[in-house]
Amino acid sequence: MVLEASFLCIDNSDYMRNGDHAPSRMEAQLDAVNLLSGAKTQSNPENVVGLLSTAGRGVEVQVALTGDVGQVLSLSHGIKIGGNANLSAGIQVAQLSLKHRQNKNQRQRIIVFVGSPVQEEEAALVKLGKKLKKNSVAMDIINFGEEAENAAKLEALLNAVNSDDNSHLVTVPPGPHVLSDILLSSPIVQGEDGAGAAMAGMGGGGGEGAGDFAGLAVDPNMDPEFAWALRVSMEEERARQEAAAKAAEEAGAGSAEGAAASSGEGAAAAPASDAEMAEAAGGAAAGDADEQALLEQALAMSMPGAAAEQPKTPATAPPAETPGAPVGGASETPASAAPPPSAVPAPALEDAVMAEADEDEAMQLALAMSMSQGGGGESTTPAPAPAPAPAAGDMSAVFQDPSFLQSVLGSLPGVDPNDPRIQSVLQKQDGDKKEDEDKK
Amino acid sequence: MAHSGPFRCQCGQIHADQYDGPTNDLLPYIDTAGVSALNESEAGACRRIFRPFDQRLQRDAWLQSEDDDPQLLITIPFTSPVKIQSLTVIGGADGSAPRELRAYINQEALDFDDADRMMAVQTWQLQEGDAEGRIEYPTQFSRFQNVSRLHLLVVDNYGADETTIYYIGLKGIGTDHQRKAVQAVYELRPVGQGTDIKAGAGGIA
């Protein structure tokens, strides 16, 4: 938040037509000018920036020191390319403009873009740098374009100007990266201790997509009331979900609330998708027949059933969708909406490994859910792996009757009782029961 | 309130505990937070050389110029306009004491180029070896009547690579003139003693 007057010197020589910095060096420079002037004026509202071009017919001041970033941006696009850059003259003109700034309390800083071969001798640059240091002018140098050729001279200039680390040199080699992005993470924008980072990041990006962290990072700085409102609404949402989950556990997961709560918990990433899920699941369950409701809950339960770890959710989506394939799109949308956002960071390898186990667990859980609908009073938790075991244990008595299982499975539309996976699950259940009996 | 100087306090008592000696030290009028210097080797060191007169012999704090450059430009703002009578400088040893000193008055901001171009209000040739600050260099008092900001330029020293200054003392008379809005109470007619008139919010008698 240092009070500073910054003068930007851009290189508009013929070397700027080169396309090694996409889309052309000039465009990359102008983009960076936009970024820097925005960052400077944001970090302190009293900061001013100016702009001059070092090539063309001669050094020409495009924008005098002003706090209006829009003016800088609009005038920067009118700069014509041509001629050769005169670095020392540009720096001296910038120093003179800074000397005549309105507010003498502002620190003086010159930010130079060097994209063409420097014609001055190193000794001359060092002398210039010392003069700047003596008059307490700091400098940031951005070396791009001909960086190998200019590296030594610009290093010497930086060492001459640098006083207590107030000056920086950033070298940007050509490549697929964007010049502005490199500057964004450099000490030029970041400041000595990364103070400008939050500001620049929030000013550049939308901020909303990143979710809670980004929203809270900028809010206290710029809009504390908004931040407070956001925080309160998110806490309320969480409290509501927790309360709904508790109610669901007590009342039995067969109710629509349980489905809403579990689906809300399963898609814990963003409150927006929670609301969507709850609405979709609730609406579907209320409006349709019992079978539909059963399916809804089975789907909802199967997702949080493996949703404790993000990688598992995409694996549950295919088996969850298999029994629900012929059902209308409404039930699938919440199922597919929630896993994709949470599955984005998941590595695909983990999914493949987990697939086998998850299908079985998901199947068991789905069966458990559908059982509890008829049985009632059974406490089922939407929790992950531990849940299927105790749930299955509770259901053991019911599962011991394979004919009952077959009938239930047959009643579920889209589930083929002859499906080999279901057969294996049934047999596994029988096998488990027999082992239990043997142990007893 | 001042117990000495042109406007002594009217309390009528003897202040035996107050030192009534030379108290035309201008240190109370110097805005020490606003003191700055160009070409100093350590940012902020310039504030340490403005100390009370009886601490002038301390050697633990000093101002030094940058490597290979003996010049210094010190900016001294005052909290209210002052009249400067004399100044005292204690410099370093081995040729690092300042030799020529130029003063500029009431300039908003000076740098070395501006100072070269301008005529100084006064120039002094300082003696080397005055390690105890016994020499007071008098000013042309008529030119230093209404000083709000003083710039002191050290042009060169006695041969060392850097200039070192341990203490700068200014002596003179401070006026307590402040540039503030006046809170006045207007009397339409004389009011007797014992009436409590408060300024502000229509303090009209």
Side-chain angles (χ1 to χ4, degrees):
Chain A
M1 286 282 279
V2 62
L3 184 57
E4 200 169 54
S6 311
F7 219 98
L8 285 78
C9 305
I10 62 176
D11 184 348
N12 61 331
S13 65
D14 279 313
Y15 286 81
M16 292 301 111
R17 296 187 206 274
N18 196 328
D20 55 359
H21 284 266
S24 73
R25 288 188 195 172
M26 192 65 187
E27 297 284 326
Q29 249 189 142
L30 293 178
D31 202 19
V33 163
N34 184 16
L35 167 75
L36 285 172
S37 40
K40 291 290 175 193
T41 46
Q42 270 196 341
S43 77
N44 187 324
E46 286 187 51
N47 281 355
V48 289
V49 291
L51 183 68
L52 64 78
S53 56
T54 56
R57 294 217 179 156
V59 173
E60 189 183 335
V61 173
Q62 305 286 338
V63 184
L65 285 171
T66 172
D68 184 2
V69 180
Q71 193 182 3
V72 175
L73 185 57
S74 62
L75 286 170
S76 67
H77 286 293
I79 300 177
K80 294 194 168 33
I81 299 182
N84 283 318
N86 190 345
L87 182 65
S88 53
I91 293 177
Q92 282 169 336
V93 170
Q95 188 195 354
L96 195 61
S97 304
L98 285 171
K99 189 158 91 159
H100 293 292
R101 63 197 186 283
Q102 294 249 342
N103 181 356
K104 306 288 182 188
N105 291 328
Q106 288 163 337
R107 301 272 178 89
Q108 303 173 73
R109 181 174 291 272
I110 300 178
I111 305 177
V112 191
F113 288 84
V114 181
S116 53
V118 171
Q119 280 153 1
E120 286 83 2
E121 296 295 329
E122 193 168 314
L125 287 176
V126 167
K127 193 163 159 221
L128 181 60
K130 287 197 172 157
K131 187 161 155 253
L132 288 175
K133 178 157 79 167
K134 193 166 172 183
N135 288 307
S136 109
V137 178
M139 196 172 201
D140 289 332
I141 310 171
I142 298 157
N143 184 10
F144 69 111
E146 316 287 328
E147 66 273 350
E149 208 180 316
N150 291 334
K153 290 186 182 175
L154 295 178
E155 280 268 353
L157 175 58
L158 178 83
N159 290 333
V161 174
N162 197 5
S163 160
D164 206 21
D165 273 339
N166 62 355
S167 304
H168 313 99
L169 168 64
V170 176
T171 305
V172 185
H177 44 247
V178 182
L179 182 64
S180 314
D181 288 345
I182 298 209
L183 287 182
L184 194 61
S185 52
S186 74
I188 294 182
V189 171
Q190 295 254 341
E192 293 309 312
D193 48 346
M199 298 291 181
M202 294 337 301
E208 282 305 323
D212 297 342
F213 177 70
L216 288 178
V218 74
D219 284 336
N221 294 330
M222 306 214 307
D223 203 345
E225 289 172 1
F226 183 51
W228 177 82
L230 264 182
R231 218 176 301 135
V232 164
S233 70
M234 295 222 288
E235 280 167 16
E236 272 176 19
E237 179 71 25
R238 263 183 232 126
R240 188 189 65 78
Q241 283 172 15
E242 279 165 29
K246 278 182 203 152
E249 282 181 16
E250 286 161 21
S255 61
E257 287 164 22
S262 56
S263 62
E265 275 177 81
S273 55
D274 280 349
E276 273 172 27
M277 274 286 304
E279 278 175 27
D288 296 343
D290 281 352
E291 286 180 344
Q292 196 82 1
L294 266 177
L295 256 178
E296 288 296 320
Q297 285 141 34
L299 286 169
M301 291 319 297
S302 69
M303 278 181 324
E309 290 140 53
Q310 302 276 7
K312 287 188 182 175
T313 48
T316 61
E321 277 166 9
T322 317
V327 184
S331 59
E332 282 190 357
T333 328
S336 52
S342 51
V344 161
L349 291 170
E350 240 178 305
D351 294 348
V353 169
M354 298 288 210
E356 285 293 326
D358 284 354
E359 283 178 18
D360 287 349
E361 281 179 2
M363 202 62 64
Q364 287 179 5
L365 207 45
L367 290 170
M369 285 313 307
S370 54
M371 287 310 114
S372 68
Q373 167 71 12
E378 295 287 348
S379 69
T380 52
T381 54
D394 290 341
M395 298 298 129
S396 57
V398 184
F399 280 159
Q400 276 174 5
D401 191 355
S403 61
F404 179 68
L405 277 177
Q406 285 275 28
S407 67
V408 169
L409 286 174
S411 74
L412 294 175
V415 175
D416 185 3
N418 299 325
D419 194 14
R421 284 184 295 176
I422 296 177
Q423 294 288 347
S424 68
V425 168
L426 289 173
Q427 279 155 19
K428 192 176 159 198
Q429 285 290 346
D430 289 344
D432 285 345
K433 301 304 153 276
K434 282 172 189 160
E435 281 177 7
D436 283 305
E437 284 172 350
D438 289 341
K439 281 177 193 166
K440 286 175 194 169
Chain B
M1 58 190 152
H3 291 283
S4 64
F7 302 102
R8 288 172 185 268
C9 65
Q10 309 294 323
C11 61
Q13 299 186 3
I14 300 172
H15 299 282
D17 54 334
Q18 307 271 346
Y19 174 54
D20 220 351
T23 50
N24 53 355
D25 188 3
L26 284 176
L27 182 65
Y29 296 96
I30 294 178
D31 178 14
T32 1
V35 170
S36 65
L38 287 184
N39 210 32
E40 54 183 349
S41 61
E42 194 188 324
C46 49
R47 289 185 210 119
R48 303 196 288 229
I49 60 171
F50 293 97
R51 297 191 289 266
F53 185 71
D54 42 9
Q55 294 174 22
R56 70 192 180 283
L57 297 175
Q58 286 175 2
R59 282 285 187 272
D60 53 0
W62 64 89
L63 168 65
Q64 192 173 24
S65 66
E66 280 278 2
D67 299 340
D68 293 333
D69 196 344
Q71 293 198 331
L72 279 169
L73 184 55
I74 306 167
T75 305
I76 305 158
F78 295 97
T79 54
S80 64
V82 299
K83 306 174 205 287
I84 307 179
Q85 289 170 331
S86 67
L87 60 83
T88 304
V89 177
I90 299 182
D94 298 332
S96 66
R99 176 153 62 179
E100 187 177 332
L101 198 65
R102 292 188 195 157
Y104 304 85
I105 287 180
N106 291 342
Q107 301 291 328
E108 199 182 333
L110 270 190
D111 64 0
F112 287 96
D113 296 333
D114 295 336
D116 277 340
R117 260 184 282 121
M118 282 175 61
M119 273 259 298
V121 175
Q122 188 163 356
T123 305
W124 295 276
Q125 303 294 333
L126 305 179
Q127 292 285 339
E128 193 184 8
D130 179 22
E132 286 172 21
R134 293 180 202 277
I135 306 178
E136 278 185 31
Y137 299 92
T139 64
Q140 292 173 7
F141 195 52
S142 60
R143 293 195 180 181
F144 288 79
Q145 284 294 303
N146 192 21
V147 181
S148 295
R149 191 185 291 262
L150 177 68
H151 289 270
L152 289 175
L153 170 67
V154 175
V155 179
D156 55 9
N157 60 11
Y158 279 94
D161 286 338
E162 293 93 26
T163 302
T164 306
I165 299 178
Y166 285 101
Y167 168 78
I168 292 183
L170 298 169
K171 291 206 170 73
I173 304 164
T175 65
D176 278 308
H177 302 155
Q178 299 274 334
R179 302 200 75 175
K180 275 195 305 208
V182 176
Q183 287 197 320
V185 174
Y186 295 94
E187 287 187 350
L188 289 178
R189 61 184 184 284
V191 191
Q193 297 238 345
T195 313
D196 203 11
I197 301 175
K198 292 189 179 55
I204 297 179

